[in-house]
Amino acid sequence: MDYLHTVGAAVRSQRESRGWSRRELAEACGVSERFLAQLETGDGNISLRRFAEVAHALGTTPSALLAPADGPSTAKPIALLGVRGAGKSSVGAALAKKLDLAFVELDQQIEAAAGLPLGEVFALHGEAYYRRVERDVLGRLLADPRPMVVATGGSIVNDPTNYALLRTRCQTIWLRAAPEDHWNRVVAQGDKRPMAENPHAFAELRALLTARDKLYARAEHTIDTSDRSIKQVVAAVERAVS
C-alpha cells in the first residue's frame, strides 16, 4: 500500500506539472477519471498496460514514475519525529542548511493544501480529513526524488498508514526529550497558553509522551536532545544518517 501511495503521488505530481485536470489526463490515456483518482491516492492497483498508457500520456515512462518508490536508500529524506517542543523545526532547519537540503514543515504544507490553519482543519473537518490531506501531501513530497529534511506533525505516529509510509520512504529520527524539556522549550518560544488555559497541561503532556513512546521508538534512529544544543543534536543526527 505504501508503494502504491508513492507511485500515485508521482502520477499526480506529473499531471499537475503539466497543468492538467484528471479529466484531461483520463481523455489522453483512456483510463477513467474515477480510476485515476484512486490511482493518485494509492487506493487503486493498475495493469502494466494501463500504467504505461498513463505514463506515455504524461510524456514520461513507467520506470520514471516508479523511480520514487524504488529510489536508493542513500537519497531518502530525513524525517524528524517528536511532540511539540522536540526541536524538529530548529534542528531540521539547521540540519538542512548544513547538508544543503530543502527543509519542509509538513504541517505548513498541509495548511497550504487545505487552505486553512491546522486548528480550523480539525474544527471544521475533523481528524479523518486531516489524515487524508496529510497522506496526500506526504505522498507528493516523497514523490520528489531529491532528498530533503522534513519536520513532521507530532501526531503522525497515530496514523498507521501515514507512519508506515514515512518509515518506508524516509530515514526517521525521533528527537526524544523529557517532558520538562518539551514544556520549557514551548514556553521559551513565548507561548504561555498551555499553562494559562489548562492547569493540567503538563500532566497531559507527560501522559501524551508516555502513550506515544512505543510509537516513536519505531523510528529508525532515536536522538536524545535533553541538555544538548541544536548544534550538538544536528551533529548526532548527521552521524546517525551517514
Side-chain angles (χ1 to χ4, degrees), residues 135-201:
R135 187 173 306 130
D136 188 44
V137 168
L138 186 60
R140 290 205 307 272
L141 283 174
L142 300 184
D144 189 331
R146 294 171 297 180
M148 66 187 78
V149 178
V150 182
T152 65
S155 66
I156 194 171
V157 297
N158 288 337
D159 186 280
T161 300
N162 294 0
Y163 192 24
L165 177 60
L166 195 73
R167 289 188 294 115
T168 300
R169 295 291 299 129
C170 300
Q171 296 188 76
T172 47
I173 311 288
W174 174 25
L175 300 182
R176 183 174 62 188
E180 293 80 6
D181 293 312
H182 285 280
W183 183 270
N184 291 335
R185 289 167 186 169
V186 171
V187 173
Q189 293 168 3
D191 189 351
K192 299 182 180 180
R193 291 173 300 170
M195 184 181 300
E197 297 178 0
N198 182 1
H200 305 293

Side-chain angles (χ1 to χ4, degrees), residues 11-20 40 58 136 140:
V11 171
R12 175 171 178 168
S13 177
Q14 286 287 332
R15 173 177 63 78
E16 291 180 340
S17 70
R18 298 175 72 91
W20 282 6
E40 289 185 355
L58 290 169
D136 188 44
R140 290 205 307 272

Side-chain angles (χ1 to χ4, degrees), residues 85-99:
K88 293 172 294 184
S89 295
S90 54
V91 170
L95 178 66
K97 183 177 181 180
K98 185 173 184 181
L99 299 179

Side-chain angles (χ1 to χ4, degrees), residues 2 6 11 28 39 43 48 51 61 105 109 119 125 146 150 163 184 189-190 206 218 224 229 242:
D2 300 332
T6 304
V11 171
L39 174 64
D43 296 324
L48 290 176
F51 187 61
T61 64
E105 292 265 14
Q109 296 293 315
H125 300 291
R146 294 171 297 180
V150 182
Y163 192 24
N184 291 335
Q189 293 168 3
R206 186 185 294 276
R218 296 174 67 188
D224 195 331
S229 67
S242 62

Side-chain angles (χ1 to χ4, degrees), residues 22-113:
R22 283 202 187 110
R23 176 175 296 179
E24 289 171 318
L25 176 56
E27 292 173 351
C29 67
V31 175
S32 74
E33 186 178 351
R34 179 179 180 182
F35 187 79
L36 280 176
Q38 294 175 335
L39 174 64
E40 289 185 355
T41 56
D43 296 324
N45 213 333
I46 190 171
S47 69
L48 290 176
R49 181 174 66 84
R50 286 296 193 188
F51 187 61
E53 290 170 351
V54 171
H56 294 156
L58 290 169
T60 185
T61 64
S63 59
L65 291 175
L66 291 170
D70 289 328
S73 59
T74 54
K76 281 185 174 183
I78 300 168
L80 304 179
L81 307 171
V83 172
R84 185 183 180 197
K88 293 172 294 184
S89 295
S90 54
V91 170
L95 178 66
K97 183 177 181 180
K98 185 173 184 181
L99 299 179
D100 194 25
L101 300 176
F103 175 58
V104 178
E105 292 265 14
L106 188 59
D107 278 346
Q108 288 183 0
Q109 296 293 315
I110 292 171
E111 288 181 331

